[in-house]
Amino acid sequence: MTTHKTRMLIIGSGPAGYSAAIYGARAGMQPIVVQGLQPGGQLTITTDVENYPGFEDVIQGPWLMEQMQKQAEHVGTRMMWDTIVEVDLEGGSPFKAIGDSGDEYVGDVLVIATGAQAKWLGVPGEQELGGKGVSACATCDGFFYRGKKVAVIGGGNTAVEEALYLTNHSDDVTLIHRRDELRSEKILQDRLFASEKITPMWNKTVERFVEGEDGKLHHLELRDTQTNELSTLEVDGAFVAIGHAPATELFKGKLPMDDSGYLLVEPGTPKTEIPGVFACGDVMDHTYRQAVTAAGTGCMAALDAERFLATLEHAAKIPEPAE
């Protein structure tokens, strides 16, 4: 077992973790990023990215994450190919974490950037057609379906918000829900039912996503939850909107979370209830979930971490009063 010590330990990569690393390294904190099972996060399984500032043309998600990683390394970040399996936050700074490799990581501050994953239906064709008509983010991919027929699967706030957003691009949006009433907030339901562009389809589940001759999504195979009858719905794009699962298993019982498992932070900051522990990106943001907002909170975490360390170091220099 090897012990790796740093002023700033970052668990998780992606836009939040890499941005925290870039700012932390430039501040002389010599950060260590433990990348986890999916280095680069969700963008590594995202093809076309058209809404990240600074690029005139469409870029690829994996390429963007590769560039962020290289930038972080260039300014002094150490990347560790390991997965954290245990953390010790008791007693305050320094914080300790154990990797799957058996190595120990010790940081004066801890930045949590473990992200969240979209929940999927787990039916045939879903993963195979990812980026080819099937998506879990209308804000990310809706633009590619301008003037086309799209469907949203789900019945909660996320699904209704996605359906409403898609009306900016499509005049033919179908909302597919397995029940005969929505679970979303009343105000969102009112907006949805008032829209002439959205057609609810009740008591239906998606059995499979079917590929067309062009290799892209052609139609959905649906099953009626009451009669068991099968039907099809031709669409150009389908958006699975049944929620997200934040990667916070490590921190259960150690940090406060909301009912969905997202880490709670001081409003407007990445500060958790433990001084010196910061959360950024999708692990604490269940509202926006965009690469650019994740990067922004990563920057905030690094700046707050730098201030926290400066306060600690200043306190350590103040001599004890003479008795």
Side-chain angles (χ1 to χ4, degrees):
M1 185 183 82
T2 303
T3 298
H4 308 274
K5 294 185 178 181
T6 176
R7 297 181 72 204
M8 173 189 273
L9 175 61
I10 302 169
I11 302 177
S13 43
Y18 289 150
S19 296
I22 291 165
Y23 275 81
R26 285 173 53 81
M29 289 188 279
Q30 299 175 318
I32 288 176
V33 173
V34 185
Q35 302 221 66
L37 289 172
Q38 190 179 27
Q42 291 187 80
L43 274 181
T44 59
I45 55 171
T46 302
T47 50
D48 294 346
V49 176
E50 202 170 34
N51 56 5
Y52 197 86
F55 301 96
E56 178 183 2
D57 295 321
V58 176
I59 57 174
Q60 299 300 299
W63 177 85
L64 179 60
M65 290 301 92
E66 181 184 345
Q67 294 303 303
M68 282 194 186
Q69 178 184 326
K70 287 180 177 179
Q71 184 179 1
E73 289 176 308
H74 177 73
V75 290
T77 300
R78 282 188 287 165
M79 297 290 168
M80 308 301 292
W81 301 91
D82 204 350
T83 302
I84 299 300
V85 295
E86 186 181 339
V87 292
D88 181 4
L89 307 182
E90 290 185 15
S93 176
F95 305 100
K96 297 178 182 178
I98 303 296
D100 185 61
S101 64
D103 284 6
E104 181 180 66
Y105 302 88
V106 180
D108 295 331
V109 294
L110 175 64
V111 175
I112 301 168
T114 47
Q117 295 287 340
K119 294 179 182 177
W120 295 96
L121 298 172
V123 300
E126 185 175 47
Q127 296 304 314
E128 293 84 349
L129 290 169
K132 302 174 184 176
V134 178
S135 171
C137 181
T139 311
C140 311
D141 300 328
F143 183 77
F144 300 113
Y145 297 92
R146 298 184 303 280
K148 297 184 178 181
K149 181 177 174 63
V150 295
V152 176
I153 300 107
N157 284 351
T158 300
V160 176
E161 287 169 352
E162 299 265 276
L164 289 167
Y165 174 81
L166 285 167
T167 60
N168 295 316
H169 305 295
S170 170
D171 293 334
D172 192 345
V173 180
T174 302
L175 180 70
I176 301 168
H177 187 39
R178 59 184 176 177
R179 300 188 178 93
D180 59 3
E181 60 181 5
L182 299 172
R183 295 176 288 108
S184 63
E185 297 171 0
K186 180 68 164 53
I187 190 170
L188 289 173
Q189 294 189 40
D190 291 344
R191 288 175 57 199
L192 181 135
F193 294 136
S195 175
E196 296 180 354
K197 298 180 180 181
I198 303 174
T199 304
M201 185 174 279
W202 305 113
N203 301 312
K204 294 286 192 295
T205 59
V206 177
E207 289 287 292
R208 90 188 156 105
F209 298 86
V210 182
E211 182 180 341
E213 292 182 0
D214 60 357
K216 298 180 181 179
L217 176 67
H218 180 265
H219 68 268
L220 310 178
E221 187 176 287
L222 307 175
R223 184 179 298 276
D224 192 290
T225 57
Q226 295 183 326
T227 66
N228 225 28
E229 181 182 352
L230 291 175
S231 60
T232 60
L233 177 70
E234 287 192 17
V235 291
D236 299 294
F239 296 84
V240 179
I242 57 175
H244 286 71
T248 52
E249 191 71 29
L250 266 177
F251 308 101
K252 285 186 177 176
K254 299 178 180 181
L255 286 170
M257 304 177 186
D258 67 12
D259 292 340
S260 299
Y262 288 88
L263 294 178
L264 295 177
V265 294
E266 183 182 313
T269 81
K271 299 175 183 177
T272 70
E273 77 163 12
I274 298 179
V277 177
F278 306 91
C280 56
D282 288 7
V283 77
M284 48 72 81
D285 172 20
H286 51 72
T287 303
Y288 301 103
R289 297 193 299 266
Q290 299 298 301
V292 67
T293 52
T297 57
C299 162
M300 293 161 64
L303 294 176
D304 281 342
E306 182 185 3
R307 292 172 187 139
F308 173 81
L309 287 179
T311 302
L312 275 189
E313 289 161 5
H314 176 70
K317 292 176 183 177
I318 299 175
E320 295 273 339
E323 292 187 8

